[in-house]
């Protein structure tokens, strides 16, 4: 997807290869980040050292990612439904509870003159980008959709809108139900929020949080395998990565390569560092793709009638905001 945009815009194979590999790198780091986060929730049930939990999760999800597309994506879809149910449970508990959470909503918005608070928001915006990573991965499996020209634009807008609403609600409830300093120290923050709101044990929501995190891991693994396969199929990477299993009809070798990379990163780098680098790589990809789209719009005028087209200001705004966030991180 991203590599195809860059190739169409600039016609430079080395740049297209770099764009594709940057996508793989960002997804690998993101999956490793989620894996490390999942260990905190799993440890509530299984008292094992974090490295053992991380290794078990990565290998198990790697096995699922090697199944057929219908099986692996159906598994991810089921996990998504459970994940949304868990977030909805937190929101329902916060809104209907006895505490004054509704009246404390304005606490989330700093005063206009509180310069320190606004600087803090700017500096942490890089990590906030991480929460919205994944929507673009829909494009990387579009080859396996029945009608991508109709399905893909709708899926992108619907998932982005629903997720933004869910995340905003959960963040509001979390930081008003539990002091932010205490929340930051918890290995299972959402479970802590739910416990504080309902009085129920940590295990109640930790089980749903486990589903949410392993779902993120499996989705990234599926995508990484497809991107490596696509790059190899186009001649950007060695041909063996484009081999497809006769049994599952999936790029098993490419997928397993991603699994190994995720395992190495998850075991070797702290959680915060992983999340920050995921956001940096993703913003660099966004900037490059928006730049490519600007060039495509400037040089091409004829498009099929059923292709989704955005106004010219959209890629310009995307390029500027991505670059701005990178600059804030650089000089913050």
């Amino acid at each position: 997807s991203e590599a195809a945009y860059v190739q169409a815009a600039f016609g430079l194979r080395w740049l297209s290869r770099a764009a594709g590999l940057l996508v793989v790198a960002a997804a690998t780091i993101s999956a490793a980040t989620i894996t490390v986060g999942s260990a905190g929730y799993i440890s509530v049930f299984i008292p094992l050292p974090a490295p053992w939990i991380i290794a078990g999760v990565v290998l198990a999800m790697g096995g699922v990612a090697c199944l057929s597309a219908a099986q692996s994506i159906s598994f991810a879809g089921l996990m998504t439904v459970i994940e949304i149910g868990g977030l909805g449970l937190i929101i329902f508990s916060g809104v209907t509870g006895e505490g004054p959470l509704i009246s404390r909503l304005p606490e989330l918005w700093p005063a206009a003159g509180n310069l320190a608070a606004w600087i803090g928001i700017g500096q942490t915006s890089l990590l906030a980008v991480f929460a919205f990573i994944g929507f673009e991965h829909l494009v990387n499996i579009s080859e396996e959709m029945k009608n991508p020209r109709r399905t893909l634009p709708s899926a992108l807008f619907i998932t982005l809108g629903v997720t933004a609403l869910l995340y905003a609600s959960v963040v509001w409830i979390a930081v008003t139900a539990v002091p932010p300093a205490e929340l930051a120290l918890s290995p299972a923050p959402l479970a802590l929020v739910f416990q504080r709101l309902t009085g129920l044990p940590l295990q109640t929501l930790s089980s749903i949080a486990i589903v949410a995190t392993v779902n993120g891991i499996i989705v990234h693994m599926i995508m990484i395998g497809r991107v490596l396969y696509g790059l190899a199929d186009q001649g950007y990477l060695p041909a063996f990565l484009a081999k497809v299993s006769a049994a599952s009809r999936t790029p098993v070798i490419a997928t397993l390569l991603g699994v190994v990379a995720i395992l190495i990163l998850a075991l070797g780098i702290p959680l915060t560092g992983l999340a920050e680098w995921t956001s940096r790589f993703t913003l660099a990809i966004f900037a490059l793709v928006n730049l490519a789209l600007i060039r495509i719009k400037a040089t091409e005028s004829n498009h099929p009638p059923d292709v989704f087209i955005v106004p010219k200001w959209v890629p310009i705004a995307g390029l500027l905001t991505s670059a701005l966030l990178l600059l804030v991180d650089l000089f913050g």
Side-chain angles (χ1 to χ4, degrees), residues 135-209:
F135 303 99
E136 72 281 3
H137 295 341
L138 285 169
V139 183
N140 293 307
I141 59 169
S142 61
E143 195 174 29
E144 295 167 88
M145 295 180 184
K146 291 182 178 180
N147 188 358
R149 289 184 176 179
R150 179 182 62 84
T151 304
L152 193 56
S154 299
L156 283 167
F157 283 114
I158 291 172
T159 54
L160 182 59
V162 171
T163 302
L165 182 61
L166 285 172
Y167 282 6
S169 301
V170 169
V171 167
W172 157 50
I173 290 171
V175 299
T176 51
V178 180
E182 182 181 354
L183 202 62
L185 296 175
S186 173
L190 288 184
L192 176 62
V193 171
F194 185 73
Q195 181 188 47
R196 197 63 55 85
L197 289 171
T198 64
L200 296 175
L202 286 173
Q203 288 85 346
T204 305
L205 196 77
S206 289
S207 57
I208 298 177

Coordinates of all heavy atoms in Angstrom, one line a residue, residues 135-209:
F135 N -5.2 1.6 11.7 CA -6.3 1.8 10.7 C -5.7 1.6 9.3 O -6.4 1.0 8.4 CB -7.0 3.1 10.9 CG -7.5 3.3 12.2 CD1 -6.9 4.1 13.2 CD2 -8.8 2.8 12.5 CE1 -7.4 4.3 14.4 CE2 -9.3 3.0 13.8 CZ -8.6 3.7 14.7
E136 N -4.5 2.2 9.1 CA -3.9 2.1 7.7 C -3.6 0.7 7.3 O -3.4 0.4 6.1 CB -2.7 3.0 7.7 CG -1.5 2.5 8.5 CD -1.6 2.7 10.0 OE1 -2.6 3.2 10.5 OE2 -0.6 2.3 10.7
H137 N -3.5 -0.2 8.3 CA -3.2 -1.6 8.0 C -4.3 -2.3 7.2 O -4.0 -3.4 6.6 CB -2.9 -2.4 9.3 CG -1.7 -1.9 10.0 ND1 -0.7 -1.2 9.4 CD2 -1.3 -2.1 11.3 CE1 0.2 -0.9 10.3 NE2 -0.1 -1.4 11.4
L138 N -5.5 -1.8 7.2 CA -6.6 -2.3 6.4 C -6.2 -2.4 5.0 O -6.5 -3.3 4.2 CB -7.8 -1.5 6.6 CG -8.6 -1.6 7.9 CD1 -9.7 -0.5 8.0 CD2 -9.3 -3.0 8.0
V139 N -5.4 -1.4 4.5 CA -5.0 -1.3 3.1 C -4.1 -2.5 2.7 O -4.1 -3.0 1.6 CB -4.4 0.0 2.8 CG1 -4.0 0.2 1.3 CG2 -5.3 1.2 3.2
N140 N -3.3 -2.9 3.7 CA -2.3 -3.9 3.4 C -2.9 -5.3 3.2 O -2.2 -6.2 2.8 CB -1.3 -4.0 4.5 CG -0.4 -2.7 4.5 OD1 0.1 -2.4 3.5 ND2 -0.4 -2.0 5.6
I141 N -4.2 -5.5 3.6 CA -4.9 -6.8 3.3 C -6.0 -6.6 2.4 O -6.9 -7.5 2.2 CB -5.4 -7.4 4.6 CG1 -6.4 -6.5 5.4 CG2 -4.2 -7.8 5.6 CD1 -7.1 -7.2 6.5
S142 N -6.0 -5.5 1.6 CA -7.1 -5.2 0.7 C -7.2 -6.2 -0.4 O -8.2 -6.5 -1.0 CB -7.0 -3.8 0.1 OG -5.7 -3.7 -0.6
E143 N -6.0 -6.8 -0.7 CA -6.0 -7.8 -1.8 C -6.9 -9.0 -1.5 O -7.3 -9.8 -2.4 CB -4.5 -8.3 -2.0 CG -4.3 -9.1 -3.3 CD -2.9 -9.4 -3.6 OE1 -2.1 -9.5 -2.6 OE2 -2.5 -9.5 -4.7
E144 N -7.1 -9.3 -0.2 CA -7.9 -10.4 0.3 C -9.4 -10.0 0.6 O -10.2 -10.8 1.1 CB -7.3 -11.1 1.5 CG -5.9 -11.7 1.1 CD -5.1 -12.1 2.3 OE1 -5.3 -13.2 2.8 OE2 -4.3 -11.2 2.8
M145 N -9.8 -8.7 0.2 CA -11.1 -8.3 0.4 C -11.9 -8.6 -0.9 O -11.4 -8.6 -2.0 CB -11.2 -6.8 0.6 CG -10.6 -6.3 1.9 SD -10.7 -4.5 2.1 CE -9.8 -4.3 3.7
K146 N -13.2 -8.8 -0.8 CA -14.0 -9.1 -1.9 C -14.3 -7.9 -2.8 O -14.3 -8.0 -4.0 CB -15.4 -9.7 -1.5 CG -15.2 -11.1 -0.8 CD -16.6 -11.7 -0.5 CE -16.4 -13.1 0.1 NZ -17.7 -13.7 0.5
N147 N -14.5 -6.8 -2.1 CA -14.8 -5.5 -2.9 C -14.1 -4.4 -2.2 O -14.8 -3.5 -1.5 CB -16.3 -5.3 -3.0 CG -16.7 -4.2 -3.9 OD1 -15.8 -3.5 -4.5 ND2 -18.0 -3.9 -4.1
P148 N -12.8 -4.3 -2.3 CA -12.1 -3.3 -1.5 C -12.4 -1.8 -1.9 O -12.4 -0.9 -1.0 CB -10.6 -3.6 -1.9 CG -10.6 -4.3 -3.2 CD -11.9 -5.1 -3.1
R149 N -12.8 -1.6 -3.1 CA -13.1 -0.2 -3.5 C -14.3 0.4 -2.8 O -14.4 1.6 -2.5 CB -13.3 -0.1 -5.0 CG -12.0 -0.2 -5.8 CD -12.2 0.0 -7.3 NE -11.0 -0.1 -8.0 CZ -10.9 0.0 -9.4 NH1 -11.9 0.2 -10.1 NH2 -9.7 -0.1 -9.9
R150 N -15.2 -0.5 -2.5 CA -16.4 -0.1 -1.7 C -16.2 -0.3 -0.2 O -16.6 0.6 0.6 CB -17.6 -1.0 -2.2 CG -18.9 -0.6 -1.4 CD -20.1 -1.5 -1.8 NE -19.8 -2.9 -1.5 CZ -20.0 -3.5 -0.3 NH1 -20.5 -2.7 0.6 NH2 -19.7 -4.7 -0.1
T151 N -15.6 -1.4 0.2 CA -15.5 -1.7 1.6 C -14.4 -0.9 2.3 O -14.7 -0.4 3.5 CB -15.1 -3.2 1.8 OG1 -16.1 -4.0 1.1 CG2 -15.1 -3.6 3.2
L152 N -13.3 -0.7 1.7 CA -12.2 -0.1 2.4 C -12.4 1.4 2.9 O -12.2 1.7 4.1 CB -10.9 -0.1 1.5 CG -9.6 0.2 2.2 CD1 -9.4 -0.7 3.4 CD2 -8.5 0.0 1.2
P153 N -12.9 2.3 2.1 CA -13.1 3.7 2.6 C -14.1 3.7 3.7 O -13.9 4.4 4.8 CB -13.7 4.4 1.4 CG -13.2 3.6 0.2 CD -13.2 2.2 0.6
S154 N -15.2 2.9 3.6 CA -16.2 2.9 4.7 C -15.6 2.3 6.0 O -15.8 2.8 7.1 CB -17.4 2.0 4.3 OG -18.0 2.6 3.1
A155 N -14.8 1.2 5.8 CA -14.2 0.6 7.0 C -13.3 1.6 7.7 O -13.2 1.6 9.0 CB -13.5 -0.7 6.6
L156 N -12.5 2.3 7.0 CA -11.5 3.3 7.5 C -12.3 4.3 8.3 O -11.9 4.6 9.5 CB -10.7 3.9 6.4 CG -9.6 3.0 5.9 CD1 -9.0 3.7 4.6 CD2 -8.5 2.9 6.9
F157 N -13.3 4.9 7.8 CA -14.0 6.0 8.4 C -14.8 5.5 9.7 O -14.8 6.2 10.7 CB -14.9 6.8 7.5 CG -14.2 7.7 6.6 CD1 -14.2 7.4 5.2 CD2 -13.5 8.8 7.0 CE1 -13.5 8.3 4.3 CE2 -12.9 9.7 6.2 CZ -12.9 9.4 4.8
I158 N -15.4 4.4 9.5 CA -16.2 3.9 10.6 C -15.3 3.5 11.8 O -15.6 3.8 13.0 CB -17.1 2.7 10.2 CG1 -18.2 3.1 9.2 CG2 -17.7 2.0 11.4 CD1 -18.9 2.0 8.5
T159 N -14.3 2.7 11.5 CA -13.4 2.3 12.6 C -12.7 3.5 13.3 O -12.6 3.5 14.5 CB -12.4 1.3 12.1 OG1 -11.7 1.8 11.0 CG2 -13.0 0.0 11.7
L160 N -12.3 4.4 12.5 CA -11.6 5.6 13.1 C -12.6 6.4 14.0 O -12.2 6.8 15.1 CB -11.1 6.5 12.0 CG -10.3 7.7 12.4 CD1 -9.1 7.3 13.3 CD2 -9.8 8.5 11.2
G161 N -13.8 6.6 13.5 CA -14.8 7.4 14.3 C -15.2 6.7 15.6 O -15.2 7.3 16.7
V162 N -15.5 5.4 15.5 CA -15.9 4.6 16.7 C -14.8 4.5 17.7 O -15.0 4.7 18.9 CB -16.3 3.2 16.3 CG1 -16.6 2.3 17.5 CG2 -17.6 3.3 15.5
T163 N -13.5 4.3 17.2 CA -12.4 4.2 18.1 C -12.1 5.5 18.8 O -11.8 5.5 20.0 CB -11.1 3.7 17.3 OG1 -11.4 2.5 16.7 CG2 -10.0 3.5 18.2
A164 N -12.2 6.6 18.1 CA -11.9 7.9 18.7 C -12.9 8.2 19.8 O -12.6 8.6 20.9 CB -12.0 9.0 17.7
L165 N -14.2 7.8 19.6 CA -15.2 8.0 20.6 C -15.0 7.1 21.8 O -15.1 7.6 23.0 CB -16.6 7.7 20.0 CG -17.8 7.9 20.9 CD1 -17.9 9.4 21.4 CD2 -19.1 7.5 20.2
L166 N -14.6 5.9 21.6 CA -14.4 4.9 22.7 C -13.2 5.4 23.5 O -13.2 5.4 24.7 CB -14.2 3.5 22.1 CG -15.4 2.8 21.7 CD1 -15.0 1.5 21.0 CD2 -16.3 2.5 22.8
Y167 N -12.1 5.7 22.8 CA -10.8 6.1 23.5 C -11.0 7.4 24.3 O -10.5 7.4 25.5 CB -9.7 6.3 22.5 CG -9.1 5.0 22.0 CD1 -9.6 3.8 22.3 CD2 -8.0 5.0 21.1 CE1 -9.1 2.6 21.8 CE2 -7.4 3.9 20.7 CZ -8.0 2.7 21.0 OH -7.4 1.5 20.5
A168 N -11.7 8.4 23.8 CA -11.9 9.6 24.5 C -12.7 9.4 25.8 O -12.4 9.9 26.8 CB -12.6 10.6 23.6
S169 N -13.7 8.5 25.7 CA -14.6 8.2 26.8 C -13.8 7.5 27.9 O -13.9 7.8 29.1 CB -15.8 7.4 26.4 OG -16.6 8.1 25.4
V170 N -13.0 6.5 27.5 CA -12.2 5.7 28.4 C -11.1 6.5 29.1 O -10.9 6.4 30.3 CB -11.6 4.5 27.7 CG1 -10.5 3.8 28.6 CG2 -12.6 3.5 27.3
V171 N -10.5 7.4 28.3 CA -9.4 8.3 28.9 C -10.1 9.2 30.0 O -9.5 9.4 31.1 CB -8.7 9.1 27.8 CG1 -7.9 10.2 28.5 CG2 -7.8 8.2 27.0
W172 N -11.2 9.8 29.6 CA -11.9 10.7 30.6 C -12.2 10.0 31.9 O -11.9 10.4 32.9 CB -13.2 11.2 29.9 CG -14.2 11.7 30.9 CD1 -14.0 12.5 31.9 CD2 -15.6 11.3 30.9 NE1 -15.2 12.7 32.6 CE2 -16.2 11.9 32.0 CE3 -16.4 10.5 30.1 CZ2 -17.5 11.8 32.3 CZ3 -17.7 10.3 30.4 CH2 -18.3 10.9 31.5
I173 N -12.8 8.8 31.8 CA -13.2 8.0 33.0 C -12.0 7.6 33.7 O -11.9 7.6 35.0 CB -14.1 6.8 32.5 CG1 -15.4 7.3 32.1 CG2 -14.2 5.8 33.7 CD1 -16.3 6.3 31.5
A174 N -10.9 7.1 33.0 CA -9.7 6.6 33.7 C -9.0 7.7 34.5 O -8.7 7.4 35.7 CB -8.7 6.1 32.7
V175 N -8.8 8.9 34.0 CA -8.1 9.9 34.7 C -8.9 10.6 35.8 O -8.3 11.3 36.6 CB -7.4 10.9 33.8 CG1 -6.5 10.3 32.8 CG2 -8.5 11.7 33.0
T176 N -10.2 10.5 35.7 CA -11.0 11.0 36.8 C -11.3 10.0 37.9 O -11.6 10.4 39.0 CB -12.4 11.6 36.3 OG1 -13.0 10.6 35.4 CG2 -12.1 12.8 35.4
A177 N -11.3 8.7 37.6 CA -11.6 7.7 38.5 C -10.3 7.3 39.4 O -10.4 6.9 40.5 CB -12.1 6.4 37.8
V178 N -9.1 7.4 38.7 CA -7.9 7.1 39.4 C -6.9 8.2 39.2 O -6.8 8.7 38.1 CB -7.3 5.8 38.8 CG1 -6.0 5.4 39.6 CG2 -8.3 4.6 39.0
P179 N -6.2 8.7 40.2 CA -5.2 9.7 40.1 C -4.2 9.3 39.0 O -3.7 8.2 39.0 CB -4.5 9.8 41.4 CG -5.6 9.3 42.4 CD -6.3 8.2 41.7
P180 N -3.8 10.2 38.1 CA -2.9 9.9 37.0 C -1.6 9.3 37.4 O -1.0 8.4 36.8 CB -2.7 11.3 36.3 CG -4.0 12.0 36.6 CD -4.4 11.6 37.9
A181 N -1.1 9.8 38.6 CA 0.2 9.3 39.1 C 0.1 7.8 39.4 O 1.0 7.0 39.1 CB 0.7 10.1 40.3
E182 N -1.0 7.5 40.0 CA -1.2 6.1 40.4 C -1.5 5.2 39.2 O -1.0 4.1 39.1 CB -2.4 6.0 41.4 CG -2.7 4.5 41.9 CD -3.9 4.5 42.8 OE1 -4.5 5.6 43.1 OE2 -4.3 3.4 43.2
L183 N -2.2 5.8 38.2 CA -2.5 5.1 37.0 C -1.2 4.7 36.2 O -1.1 3.7 35.6 CB -3.4 5.9 36.1 CG -4.3 5.3 35.1 CD1 -5.3 4.3 35.7 CD2 -5.1 6.3 34.3
A184 N -0.3 5.7 36.2 CA 1.0 5.5 35.4 C 1.8 4.4 36.0 O 2.6 3.7 35.3 CB 1.7 6.8 35.4
L185 N 1.7 4.1 37.3 CA 2.5 3.1 37.9 C 1.9 1.7 37.8 O 2.6 0.7 38.2 CB 2.7 3.4 39.4 CG 3.5 4.7 39.7 CD1 3.6 5.0 41.2 CD2 5.0 4.6 39.1
S186 N 0.7 1.6 37.4 CA 0.0 0.3 37.4 C 0.4 -0.6 36.1 O 0.4 0.0 35.0 CB -1.5 0.5 37.4 OG -2.2 -0.8 37.2
P187 N 0.7 -1.9 36.3 CA 1.0 -2.7 35.1 C -0.3 -3.1 34.4 O -0.2 -3.5 33.2 CB 1.6 -3.9 35.8 CG 1.1 -4.0 37.1 CD 0.9 -2.6 37.6
A188 N -1.5 -2.9 35.0 CA -2.7 -3.2 34.3 C -3.7 -2.1 34.6 O -4.6 -2.2 35.4 CB -3.3 -4.5 34.9
P189 N -3.5 -0.9 34.0 CA -4.2 0.3 34.3 C -5.7 0.2 34.1 O -6.5 0.7 34.9 CB -3.6 1.4 33.4 CG -2.9 0.6 32.3 CD -2.5 -0.7 32.9
L190 N -6.2 -0.4 33.0 CA -7.6 -0.4 32.8 C -8.3 -1.3 33.8 O -9.4 -1.0 34.3 CB -7.9 -0.9 31.4 CG -7.6 0.0 30.2 CD1 -8.1 -0.6 28.9 CD2 -8.3 1.4 30.5
A191 N -7.6 -2.4 34.2 CA -8.2 -3.3 35.2 C -8.3 -2.5 36.6 O -9.3 -2.7 37.3 CB -7.3 -4.5 35.4
L192 N -7.3 -1.7 36.8 CA -7.3 -0.9 38.1 C -8.5 0.1 38.0 O -9.2 0.3 39.0 CB -6.0 -0.1 38.2 CG -5.9 0.9 39.4 CD1 -6.0 0.1 40.7 CD2 -4.6 1.6 39.4
V193 N -8.7 0.8 36.9 CA -9.8 1.7 36.8 C -11.2 1.0 37.0 O -12.0 1.5 37.8 CB -9.8 2.3 35.4 CG1 -11.1 3.1 35.1 CG2 -8.6 3.2 35.2
F194 N -11.3 -0.2 36.4 CA -12.6 -1.0 36.6 C -12.8 -1.4 38.0 O -13.9 -1.3 38.6 CB -12.5 -2.2 35.7 CG -13.8 -3.0 35.7 CD1 -15.0 -2.4 35.0 CD2 -13.9 -4.2 36.3 CE1 -16.1 -3.2 35.0 CE2 -15.1 -4.9 36.3 CZ -16.2 -4.4 35.6
Q195 N -11.7 -1.8 38.7 CA -11.7 -2.2 40.1 C -12.2 -1.0 40.9 O -13.0 -1.1 41.8 CB -10.4 -2.7 40.5 CG -10.4 -3.2 42.0 CD -9.0 -3.6 42.5 OE1 -8.1 -2.8 42.3 NE2 -8.9 -4.7 43.1
R196 N -11.6 0.2 40.7 CA -11.9 1.3 41.4 C -13.4 1.8 41.3 O -14.0 2.3 42.2 CB -11.0 2.5 41.0 CG -10.9 3.6 42.0 CD -10.3 3.2 43.4 NE -9.1 2.6 43.3 CZ -7.9 3.2 43.3 NH1 -7.9 4.5 43.3 NH2 -6.7 2.5 43.3
L197 N -13.9 1.6 40.1 CA -15.3 2.0 39.8 C -16.3 1.0 40.3 O -17.4 1.4 40.8 CB -15.5 2.1 38.3 CG -14.8 3.3 37.6 CD1 -14.9 3.1 36.1 CD2 -15.4 4.6 38.0
T198 N -16.0 -0.3 40.3 CA -17.0 -1.3 40.6 C -16.7 -2.1 41.9 O -17.6 -2.7 42.4 CB -17.1 -2.3 39.5 OG1 -15.9 -3.0 39.3 CG2 -17.4 -1.6 38.2
G199 N -15.5 -2.1 42.4 CA -15.1 -2.9 43.5 C -14.9 -4.3 43.2 O -14.5 -5.1 44.1
L200 N -15.0 -4.7 42.0 CA -14.7 -6.1 41.5 C -13.2 -6.3 41.4 O -12.4 -5.4 41.3 CB -15.4 -6.3 40.2 CG -16.9 -6.2 40.2 CD1 -17.5 -6.4 38.8 CD2 -17.5 -7.3 41.1
P201 N -12.8 -7.6 41.5 CA -11.3 -7.9 41.5 C -10.7 -7.5 40.1 O -11.4 -7.4 39.1 CB -11.3 -9.4 41.7 CG -12.6 -9.9 41.4 CD -13.6 -8.8 41.7
L202 N -9.4 -7.3 40.1 CA -8.6 -7.0 38.9 C -8.9 -8.0 37.8 O -8.9 -7.7 36.6 CB -7.1 -6.9 39.2 CG -6.6 -5.7 40.0 CD1 -5.2 -5.9 40.4 CD2 -6.8 -4.4 39.2
Q203 N -9.1 -9.3 38.2 CA -9.2 -10.3 37.2 C -10.4 -10.1 36.2 O -10.3 -10.6 35.1 CB -9.3 -11.7 37.8 CG -8.0 -12.2 38.5 CD -7.8 -11.7 39.9 OE1 -8.5 -10.7 40.3 NE2 -6.9 -12.3 40.6
T204 N -11.4 -9.4 36.7 CA -12.6 -9.3 35.9 C -12.3 -8.6 34.6 O -12.7 -9.1 33.5 CB -13.6 -8.5 36.7 OG1 -13.9 -9.1 37.9 CG2 -14.9 -8.4 35.9
L205 N -11.6 -7.5 34.6 CA -11.3 -6.8 33.4 C -10.0 -7.2 32.8 O -9.8 -7.0 31.6 CB -11.3 -5.3 33.6 CG -11.4 -4.5 32.2 CD1 -12.9 -4.6 31.7 CD2 -11.0 -3.1 32.4
S206 N -9.1 -7.8 33.6 CA -7.8 -8.2 33.0 C -8.0 -9.2 31.9 O -7.3 -9.3 31.0 CB -6.9 -8.8 34.2 OG -6.5 -7.7 35.0
S207 N -9.0 -10.1 32.1 CA -9.2 -11.1 31.1 C -9.6 -10.5 29.7 O -9.2 -10.9 28.7 CB -10.4 -12.1 31.5 OG -11.5 -11.3 31.8
I208 N -10.4 -9.4 29.8 CA -10.8 -8.7 28.6 C -9.6 -7.9 28.0 O -9.4 -7.9 26.8 CB -12.0 -7.7 28.8 CG1 -13.2 -8.5 29.3 CG2 -12.3 -6.9 27.6 CD1 -14.4 -7.7 29.7
A209 N -8.8 -7.4 28.9 CA -7.6 -6.6 28.4 C -6.6 -7.6 27.7 O -6.0 -7.2 26.8 CB -7.0 -5.9 29.6

